[in-house]
Amino acid sequence: MNQIQLSDLDVISIAKRAENEYVGVSSGKLDQSCEVYCRKDHLLYLDTADDSYERISASGAMKPYKIAIFFSGVERTLAGSGYNLRVDECKSAAYDLMAFSGMEYGKYADAVLRQVPSEVFEQYKDRLPENFRKRAEHFYGESARVEAGVKAWREGDIETFGQLISQSGHSSIHLYESGSDELRTMYEIMNRTKGIYGGRFSGAGFKGCCMALIDPDYEEEIVQQVTKEYLSAFPKLEGKYSAYICESADGVVMK
């Protein structure tokens, strides 16, 4: 309409603003960036600080994989969850660490852990309130897993990549303390199911879905096993729970 042209970054920024200001969720732009920048059979390596990104193609040495999506049967509503509180806890940890270390800092609303070197966290972490320390430890651990994951992907090591995804899920549960009973149970089921390289709940895990990278040779067995164990734990969700096997795809385009 009106010959308006939007860049990819425009689309991402508008979607983020709608989520922040209209929906009321203090999200970043990870999801929106994935939806716009992703390409089939590529890993999106994204830096949200400067909006730089790289698409890394799957190595020819990589074993076959597909993506499993398990919908818990419980709808996700982040605006009414602990999601925004976790964001505030991370900001508080960053602000405290900058103050303890003598770093320059500005407004609280602008504080992010990305501004604080991991060495500063290691030096002053014991002075943080326990919850703030846990949230920061999750952040620095996730940052390290991203770098390790990129390395594994480049080398075609899907097993290590999957293990890092599962480690991320463990950290989300025990350090970020997110998720719901349903998704935490799903996470445990996935981690003992043969043929799953690795899995975790989607995003912060306040209800919604779990995802996993799987070996296609075990596709049917995985769906059967996860479905059986999950509905055994939550029989009232039969008819609401669902499972899907899919592959990566190109992102959205403006036409």
Side-chain angles (χ1 to χ4, degrees):
M1 183 178 292
N2 299 328
Q3 305 303 308
I4 294 174
Q5 300 294 318
L6 298 177
S7 68
D8 287 346
L9 189 56
D10 288 334
V11 175
I12 292 166
S13 299
I14 291 169
K16 177 181 180 295
R17 184 175 176 184
E19 191 160 8
N20 295 164
E21 299 179 17
Y22 181 74
V23 180
V25 175
S26 301
S27 69
K29 46 190 162 186
L30 175 62
D31 290 0
Q32 298 90 336
S33 297
C34 290
E35 290 156 3
V36 172
Y37 291 143
C38 67
R39 294 294 182 269
K40 181 176 175 58
D41 295 327
H42 284 69
L43 180 73
L44 177 64
Y45 182 27
L46 173 72
D47 188 336
T48 57
D50 60 10
D51 295 310
S52 62
Y53 66 93
E54 179 185 1
R55 299 185 187 105
I56 307 172
S57 60
S59 166
M62 189 177 291
K63 292 181 179 179
Y65 70 91
K66 287 187 178 180
I67 302 167
I69 305 295
F70 302 105
F71 173 53
S72 66
V74 183
E75 295 286 347
R76 185 172 75 170
T77 308
L78 290 183
S81 70
Y83 182 92
N84 288 349
L85 175 60
R86 294 295 181 273
V87 174
D88 286 341
E89 288 170 334
C90 287
K91 287 184 175 295
S92 296
Y95 215 58
D96 287 351
L97 289 167
M98 287 189 282
F100 291 150
S101 63
M103 293 176 61
E104 291 187 12
Y105 57 87
K107 296 179 181 179
Y108 170 83
D110 297 329
V112 292
L113 284 165
R114 177 67 180 276
Q115 298 167 332
V116 183
S118 59
E119 295 81 7
V120 172
F121 168 68
E122 290 298 330
Q123 184 174 355
Y124 295 99
K125 64 182 180 181
D126 292 336
R127 296 178 63 178
L128 293 173
E130 182 180 7
N131 281 351
F132 295 178
R133 177 190 59 76
K134 286 183 176 180
R135 310 310 178 241
E137 190 173 341
H138 173 69
F139 167 82
Y140 292 109
E142 288 287 75
S143 296
R145 280 185 286 274
V146 166
E147 299 302 328
V150 168
K151 180 176 182 293
W153 184 271
R154 291 188 194 278
E155 295 174 352
D157 187 352
I158 194 70
E159 286 93 349
T160 296
F161 191 85
Q163 290 169 8
L164 290 163
I165 293 174
S166 294
Q167 290 170 16
S168 173
H170 184 272
S171 181
S172 293
I173 292 170
H174 297 284
L175 294 177
Y176 209 62
E177 295 182 298
S178 61
S180 63
D181 289 344
E182 295 86 1
L183 293 191
R184 286 189 288 267
T185 298
M186 184 89 74
Y187 169 81
E188 296 296 338
I189 294 170
M190 290 192 303
N191 275 277
R192 59 175 178 260
T193 299
K194 185 176 181 181
I196 292 183
Y197 295 125
R200 54 155 294 140
F201 38 71
S202 176
F206 293 104
K207 306 179 182 179
C209 297
C210 280
M211 60 74 61
L213 287 183
I214 70 166
D215 182 339
D217 288 344
Y218 294 90
E219 179 178 329
E220 292 185 9
E221 293 93 328
I222 288 170
V223 172
Q224 291 174 3
Q225 183 68 23
V226 173
T227 300
K228 178 182 177 182
E229 289 198 40
Y230 182 73
L231 291 180
S232 177
F234 299 99
K236 292 183 179 180
L237 292 175
E238 187 163 5
K240 297 180 180 179
Y241 158 88
S242 53
Y244 308 90
I245 304 296
C246 55
E247 299 181 24
S248 61
D250 292 347
V252 298
V253 294
M254 293 289 290
K255 291 185 177 181

